[in-house]
């Protein structure tokens, strides 16, 4: 029950009922008292009349045959004796037939009474000569004490009875009301508990009527059902929550969920890794306050922009931006979160590590510019040489013409190699299975080295081939392995100093039934950080020592050929300033690439 006292309809009805019943009881009491008093008065009046009549008759009998003086005395004595013996009779008065007072006597106890309550006069009639003659009158006055005592006693008794009846009535009503409201209060308490979520709350009160007990039982049953339902619901919700969390946690991208007060409510494992922060450090903090490795609030501005944009726009076009954390480029997408009923509840930030893609994109752009440059150079050279020969060929001697044609030939070879690289790249990328046959790999290496003669002579280099033991025939695709080896050799030539030596070593790895081919040069070498990426598509080292242009495809082609199509392995060992060893290991028996093999 609340502290505030307020009149409910029920209370008002009770008060009105009590008031009406009080008024009714008062009316009935007044009516009954008036009625009883009237009846008593009437009875008293009749009593007075009877007394005066009796007195008249007695007086006639007593005075019959007496003379006037004796009559008067007799009446006086009689009257006095009556006055003495009847306290209620105040006055007795005899008058003769002419109205003269014969005797008038008052009761001593009523001397102070000025006006009697009831005064009754009766005629004194006697029979003279056979005729009824009026001899005078007798007047009797009654005090009315008895009647007033009786009526006051009656009034008091009645009032007492009515008051007692009213008190009992009011008490019963109040007790009844209290008992009914008590049960209602118990029920109300129970309903309150349920409304505050205390499902399973039981009303236990045995001291109630059967109907109410039934109601209480129904209530308890309902409460119990709600409790079971709640437990099932919580279990279901927990299950759903766990499922959702498991999905979010195992998602490959980082996910940070913020409520509409910008507080982080969920951060998955991947996001923790990307943002280099623990869950505890991020949960319940404002994501705007997150600092990247440079110490800048990388989300602040974008979240403000997100908040300034109308939700309908942001819902169809989330905000995308890149942040840099510890040299990694992380693409961040902020999109709003809505409930099923379309209420805005916060936002979700998806974090994707795009470092590789960004690098790839840069490399691709580089590749395009390199390829066009690489293609333009030989074409320009070819055009100028051919132009010169065409227009002024006659003016040159045979040797010069031969020299011109030699240069043209070299440029065409270079052009051809480059075009082949690009073509091979797309061919090797496809899931086609290359045909393989047993090949004498020593001969293959020698042929490749021979093809490099023009270049080696040009750079005054020597190629030395060495083999370690008996080299078995290896099942391979001749053309593709030849191109791979050519790539390694031409790189070794490109990056070797003048008069350098290139060693090609062929080894038989009997234990693993493999053959190893390595190309060692004495060139500029490659720094360790580049070695990891050197086989990536379009990757090129570009610094003061690596000034030679290229496409960045060569080593990737070698890797694809060896690993994807032959099940072998490529490797690199290099030291800056000392030289590099590139090579590959091939299984002797042909490898059948599965469809899923990707490099
Ligand atoms: P490109 O066609 O540009 O030479 P590659 O994939 O063949 O592409 O080579 C990738 C990078 O590896 C080159 O840019 C070069 O810097 C480096 N590289 C390859 N071979 C050697 C080597 N023998 N010595 C030094 N650097 C090399």
């Amino acid at each position: 029950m609340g502290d505030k006292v307020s009149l409910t309809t029920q209370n008002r009805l009770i008060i009105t009922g009590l008031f009406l019943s009080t008024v009714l009881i008062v009316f009935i009491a007044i009516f009954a008292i008036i009625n009883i008093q009237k009846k008593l008065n009437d009875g008293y009046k009749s009593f007075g009349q009877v007394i005066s009549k009796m007195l008249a008759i007695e007086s006639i009998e007593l005075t019959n045959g007496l003379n006037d003086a004796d009559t008067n005395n007799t009446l006086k004595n009689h009257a006095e004796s009556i006055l003495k013996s009847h306290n209620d009779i105040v006055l007795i008065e005899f008058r003769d037939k002419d109205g003269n007072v014969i005797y008038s006597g008052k009761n001593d106890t009523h001397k102070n009474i000025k006006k009697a309550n009831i005064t009754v006069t009766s005629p004194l009639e006697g029979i003279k000569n056979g005729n009824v003659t009026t001899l005078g009158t007798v007047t009797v006055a009654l005090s009315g004490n008895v009647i007033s005592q009786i009526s006051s006693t009656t009034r008091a008794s009645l009032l007492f009875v009515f008051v007692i009846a009213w008190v009992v009535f009011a008490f019963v009503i109040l007790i009844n009301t209290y008992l009914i409201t008590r049960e209602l209060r118990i029920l109300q308490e129970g309903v309150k508990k349920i409304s505050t979520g205390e499902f399973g709350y039981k009303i236990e009160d045995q001291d109630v009527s059967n109907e109410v007990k039934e109601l209480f039982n129904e209530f308890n049953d309902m409460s119990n059902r709600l409790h079971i339902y709640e437990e099932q619901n919580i279990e279901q919700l927990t299950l759903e929550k766990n499922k959702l969390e498991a999905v979010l946690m195992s998602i490959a991208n980082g996910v940070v969920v913020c409520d509409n007060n910008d507080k982080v409510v969920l951060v998955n494992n991947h996001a923790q890794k990307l943002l280099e922060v623990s869950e505890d450090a991020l949960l319940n903090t404002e994501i705007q306050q997150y600092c990247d490795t440079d110490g800048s609030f990388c989300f602040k501005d974008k979240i403000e922009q997100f908040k300034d944009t109308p939700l309908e726009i942001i819902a169809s076009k989330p905000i995308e931006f890149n942040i840099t954390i510890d040299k990694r480029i992380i693409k961040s997408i902020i999109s709003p979160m809505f409930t099923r009923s379309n209420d805005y509840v916060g936002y979700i930030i998806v974090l994707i590590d795009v470092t590789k893609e960004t690098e790839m994109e840069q490399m691709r752009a580089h590749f395009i510019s390199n390829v066009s440059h690489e293609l333009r150079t030989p074409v320009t050279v070819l055009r100028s040489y051919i132009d010169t020969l065409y227009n002024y060929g006659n003016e040159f001697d045979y040797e010069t013409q031969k020299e011109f044609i030699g240069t043209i030939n070299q440029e065409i070879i270079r052009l051809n190699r480059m075009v082949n690289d690009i073509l091979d790249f797309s061919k090797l990328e496809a899931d086609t299975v290359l045909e393989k046959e047993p090949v004498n790999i020593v001969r293959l290496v020698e042929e490749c080295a021979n093809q490099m003669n023009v270049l080696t002579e040009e750079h005054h280099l020597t190629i030395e081939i060495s083999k370690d033991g008996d080299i078995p025939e290896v099942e391979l695709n001749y053309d593709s392995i030849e191109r791979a080896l050519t790539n390694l050799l031409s790189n070794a030539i490109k990056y070797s100093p003048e008069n350098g030596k290139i060693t090609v070593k062929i080894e038989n790895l009997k234990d693993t039934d493999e053959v190893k081919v390595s190309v060692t040069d004495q060139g500029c070498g490659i720094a360790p950080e580049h070695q990891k990426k050197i086989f990536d598509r379009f990757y090129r080292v570009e610094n003061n020592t690596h000034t030679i242009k290229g496409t960045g495809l060569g080593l990737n082609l070698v890797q694809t050929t060896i690993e994807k199509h032959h099940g072998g392995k490529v490797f690199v060992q290099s030291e800056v300033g000392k030289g590099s060893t590139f090579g590959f290991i091939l299984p002797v028996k042909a490898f059948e690439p599965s469809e899923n093999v990707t490099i």
Side-chain angles (χ1 to χ4, degrees), residues 477-590:
N477 177 275
Y478 191 94
D479 289 348
S480 67
I481 295 294
E482 185 194 35
R483 254 193 311 275
L485 193 60
T486 313
N487 258 308
L488 294 183
L489 285 171
S490 66
N491 274 350
I493 295 166
K494 259 200 268 180
Y495 299 103
S496 284
E498 290 272 319
N499 303 316
K501 190 174 93 177
I502 295 166
T503 317
V504 183
K505 197 171 173 188
I506 310 153
E507 292 166 74
N508 182 8
L509 307 178
K510 281 186 187 145
D511 293 347
T512 50
D513 206 15
E514 288 168 324
V515 169
K516 180 177 172 184
V517 179
S518 51
V519 179
T520 306
D521 63 56
Q522 299 166 324
C524 54
I526 306 156
E529 69 266 23
H530 294 301
Q531 286 178 29
K532 287 182 225 147
K533 298 179 178 177
I534 208 101
F535 290 97
D536 286 358
R537 214 175 294 164
F538 310 128
Y539 191 87
R540 302 201 72 253
V541 183
E542 285 185 352
N543 51 33
N544 292 340
T545 43
H546 291 78
T547 48
I548 305 159
K549 285 271 172 196
T551 57
L553 279 179
L555 287 179
N556 186 260
L557 278 176
V558 175
Q559 189 186 39
T560 312
T561 306
I562 302 297
E563 296 187 358
K564 181 177 172 181
H565 292 279
H566 288 87
K569 193 88 201 124
V570 291
F571 61 88
V572 58
Q573 286 154 3
S574 183
E575 209 175 318
V576 177
K578 288 202 171 161
S580 316
T581 300
F582 281 88
F584 52 82
I585 298 167
L586 283 176
V588 174
K589 289 275 167 259

Side-chain angles (χ1 to χ4, degrees), residues 359-404:
E359 277 177 8
M360 282 291 276
E361 201 39 57
Q362 282 169 358
M363 284 194 277
R364 217 186 296 270
H366 231 95
F367 168 74
I368 303 284
S369 89
N370 280 353
V371 165
S372 25
H373 176 87
E374 290 286 297
L375 290 175
R376 206 170 25 218
T377 314
V379 169
T380 316
V381 173
L382 282 173
R383 265 191 68 189
S384 59
Y385 272 74
I386 291 167
D387 250 19
T388 316
L389 272 180
Y390 183 74
N391 292 317
Y392 314 103
N394 303 342
E395 294 169 27
F396 297 122
D397 56 26
Y398 175 72
E399 279 307 313
T400 317
Q401 283 178 5
K402 208 177 155 192
E403 204 180 303
F404 266 51

